[in-house]
Amino acid sequence: MFSRNPFQNTPALNGFYGLAPKRSVVPILLGVALLFMLGCGKEDCQAVPKENCIVSFELRPVCGCDGVTYGNPSTAACNNITEYTFGPCY
């Protein structure tokens, strides 16, 4: 009575059964790559101090996308820097 695989058209399982997906993932990968290339550049990342901003006193340096080392994430956030990596800038 059931001669076909009931999971055949399930998109989440197609890759597990070795079936080719119906849609190409190439446009998605190109879109993600484009977002990374056009992401936060130094020209888009500028420190703008916020007034009455509360910072913590922890010492956990972060390197902001503007190339400046901030004492901790809250200090970076109070300077309108939302993209950073942990550790000092080199």
Side-chain angles (χ1 to χ4, degrees):
M1 183 171 186
F2 292 102
S3 60
R4 65 182 197 92
N5 182 354
F7 298 107
Q8 183 175 3
N9 293 325
T10 306
L13 298 176
N14 279 344
F16 292 111
Y17 291 104
L19 301 173
K22 292 182 179 182
R23 293 189 176 125
S24 174
V25 295
V26 174
I28 295 171
L29 294 175
L30 289 175
V32 170
L34 183 64
L35 284 175
F36 278 111
M37 289 188 303
L38 297 177
C40 179
K42 287 191 177 186
E43 63 277 353
D44 297 334
C45 183
Q46 297 178 0
V48 179
K50 296 179 183 178
E51 291 190 31
N52 301 325
C53 190
I54 300 172
V55 297
S56 66
F57 292 104
E58 69 177 327
L59 183 57
R60 190 174 180 196
V62 295
C63 179
C65 58
D66 60 348
V68 175
T69 299
Y70 296 93
N72 54 47
S74 67
T75 305
C78 282
N79 284 291
N80 206 26
I81 302 296
T82 57
E83 294 184 28
Y84 52 82
T85 56
F86 287 97
C89 299
Y90 295 104

